[in-house]
Amino acid sequence: MELKNKIIVALDVQTADEAREITRELSGHVGAFKIGLQLFTAAGAELVREFTKAGNKIFLDLKFHDIPNTVAKASVEAARSGVWMFNVHVSGGGEMMEQTVNQVDETCGREKIARPLIIGVTVLTSSNEEVLREVGAGENVEDQVVKLACLAAECGLDGVVASPHEVKAVRKAVSNNNFLTVTPGIRPTLATRDDHKRVTTFGQAIANGSDYVVIGRPIIKASDRLAAVEAIVGEI
Ligand code: C5P
């Protein structure tokens, strides 16, 4: 895969128009666009459908975490909206993930729609050991990520979101060689971290084996976004 296609640009903006402007500027220069909580709450499912109908690959990043029936039904709607990838929190449990995979598979088969990739969120890159202790979710970030990644793989998910620091450990622990790793927390230089506690550069993430990297602010806030993408890819 071409390096630029490994980049998923986070459309973390307030309005549909800003998101349209970014997709116009970067379509064909990156692999996909991510619609997360901010834009979805502001502009809704209509915008998701507009982008998928226009042929954009969309990662719907709503990090579903609820009872199994609710997550499975929301996931079926995500599939119907034509997204390429969406995610659920692995900490929602095995039954939640299995019902989701089963219902999405069943609906996509019956309605002849492309089956989206289903990705599990492990430990957010804004979390560290202190945060894990605070919420009673284990002591060690890497151990927790590996444990959740193995559970996601057992339940039939296609991959996980993790920090690039944990990609090697996930690869070692999960036997499925096609299991994907999607990694946010990417910065052109490690001087800026924003709210991430675990960051790497694009080059380090790819060297560690990340399949896709999610990049928001370093690209969308740049005065020349295409130049920002080229500089990031140019690191390698
Ligand atoms: O601007 P920045 O590059 O930090 O954006 C990172 C993006 O990755 C955000 O949209 C955030 O919601 C997302 N993210 C994620 N999973 C994590 C951490 C961040 O999807 N574990």
Side-chain angles (χ1 to χ4, degrees), residues 10 12 34 59 61 63 87 121 123-126 161 184-187 194-196 214-218:
D12 292 335
K34 181 173 85 71
F59 170 16
D61 176 26
K63 299 185 176 69
N87 58 5
V121 179
V123 176
L124 298 174
T125 46
S126 54
V161 186
I186 305 294
R187 289 295 174 267
D194 297 314
D195 48 351
H196 297 287
V214 174
I215 312 180
R217 287 162 288 186

